[in-house]
Amino acid sequence: MIGHMRFVLLALSSLAIALLLAGFWMLFNEDRYIFFPDRQIAITPAQLGLAYQELQLRTDDGIRLQAWWIPAPHAVGTLLHFHGNAGNIGHRLPLYREWQRLGLNVLAVEYRGYGNSEGTPSEPGLYRDAEAAWRYLTGVRHIPPDRIIIAGRSLGAAVACHLARGKEPAGVALETPFTSIPDMARYHYPWLPVWPLIRNRFAAVDMVRDVRAPLLVIGATDDGVAPPTMTEQVFGAASQPKQWVELRGGHNDFDEQSHAEWQAAWRQWLASLPAPEAAAGQGS
């Protein structure tokens, strides 16, 4: 009996040590679990038949960023997009084409450490990248803030929320947002209580409270990355006016599985924006 108890205690101690070591490993390598950049741009807008301009933006801490300006003929608005935590802007070209077809100029800015952008990704760094893109649109292209739509998907939704605070864009669109990185860690690693010590926050649920612009939030019914309940929490924390849409599909393919519904949701929301904000043809 005593030998059995010793074995159980030894096994529990070993498990506790293993979990402790795993926790330290995850915390020490935290960025590896958040950012998955792809340096190789495999396809450009030209390969989809889209006219575009290759840009280099400069952040206030001296990082040079890659960006694409994709104009829309007879544009009715300008969309500034922030993608998720993996890949690069080349993987989002079908989205840019869809928005262009909806009459929106698109500025696709590449995060630091992704694609052809310099630097290493970090939460403060991505926020600086977003500010650099905003300065380009408003300061170089002289597009009024109330004629710009800020959009982000997944991690990019948090970047979009951060940028939109204190500004007055035409609208803010968040697709499959999650509440925060600590919440994501608690959801995906419930057996490893490291979330109180996580440095990166990307807390869209907190930042969205300060967004003062018409809001579109799109969730996915089968989202296994950021559960629909998180998207609902982000929507619930936001102020009016806001619009909620839930589409069939997963975290990364809901716009493909529910393509017609996705298009309809965007058209309806764009049409609902006040006329001065919706009639943005500048910067083309």
Side-chain angles (χ1 to χ4, degrees):
M1 182 68 179
I2 295 176
H4 177 73
M5 289 183 62
R6 286 178 177 174
F7 175 79
V8 171
L9 289 174
L10 179 62
L12 291 174
S13 298
S14 299
L15 178 60
I17 292 172
L19 289 174
L20 184 63
L21 292 175
F24 277 121
W25 167 262
M26 290 186 68
L27 290 171
F28 185 75
N29 296 277
E30 181 180 318
D31 287 354
R32 294 186 183 184
Y33 290 87
I34 297 174
F35 306 109
F36 299 92
D38 188 342
R39 284 291 196 178
Q40 182 65 38
I41 301 290
I43 185 171
T44 70
Q47 292 166 274
L48 267 64
L50 299 175
Y52 80 109
Q53 181 181 356
E54 182 87 30
L55 304 174
Q56 287 190 348
L57 310 183
R58 183 74 68 172
T59 67
D60 61 8
D61 59 342
I63 299 296
R64 187 170 54 200
L65 305 177
Q66 177 188 20
W68 289 337
W69 172 255
I70 306 172
H74 313 294
V76 298
T78 294
L79 184 139
L80 171 56
H81 187 248
F82 302 107
H83 64 70
N85 69 327
N88 56 54
I89 53 177
H91 298 113
R92 278 76 185 188
L93 274 167
L95 277 175
Y96 307 153
R97 180 173 56 187
E98 290 290 341
W99 284 317
Q100 190 207 46
R101 289 172 176 173
L102 289 174
L104 299 171
N105 304 315
V106 176
L107 178 62
V109 61
E110 190 56 279
Y111 302 131
R112 61 186 63 202
Y114 286 71
N116 294 325
S117 293
E118 297 176 344
T120 301
S122 68
E123 182 176 13
L126 265 60
Y127 296 156
R128 288 176 181 267
D129 300 343
E131 291 288 349
W134 181 264
R135 287 195 302 272
Y136 172 78
L137 289 178
T138 58
V140 178
R141 290 200 172 264
H142 304 294
I143 302 176
D146 64 357
R147 296 183 176 182
I148 300 171
I149 293 167
I150 300 173
R153 178 174 293 194
S154 189
L155 181 140
V159 178
C161 286
H162 188 276
L163 178 64
R165 297 188 304 175
K167 297 180 174 61
E168 298 181 357
V172 176
L174 310 177
E175 297 185 319
T176 56
F178 52 78
T179 51
S180 70
I181 290 291
D183 286 349
M184 289 284 278
R186 183 160 43 189
Y187 174 75
H188 288 283
Y189 304 101
W191 46 271
L192 196 60
V194 297
W195 54 86
L197 303 177
I198 290 176
R199 302 184 313 277
N200 293 277
R201 311 301 291 180
F202 289 104
V205 72
D206 296 328
M207 295 184 290
V208 76
R209 302 179 195 277
D210 298 323
V211 173
R212 298 293 180 264
L215 185 72
L216 171 66
V217 178
I218 297 180
T221 58
D222 305 313
D223 195 332
V225 177
T229 53
M230 286 196 189
T231 303
E232 292 172 7
Q233 288 178 54
V234 173
F235 179 78
S239 301
Q240 294 286 357
K242 57 184 179 179
Q243 180 174 331
W244 163 263
V245 177
E246 190 170 51
L247 301 178
R248 178 179 52 85
H251 187 74
N252 295 312
D253 66 357
F254 64 91
D255 54 316
E256 298 174 8
Q257 288 199 40
S258 304
H259 185 64
E261 294 85 353
W262 180 87
Q263 286 182 320
W266 269 91
R267 285 198 185 97
Q268 180 184 8
W269 181 65
L270 290 172
S272 74
L273 298 178
E277 287 79 5
Q282 298 171 349
S284 60

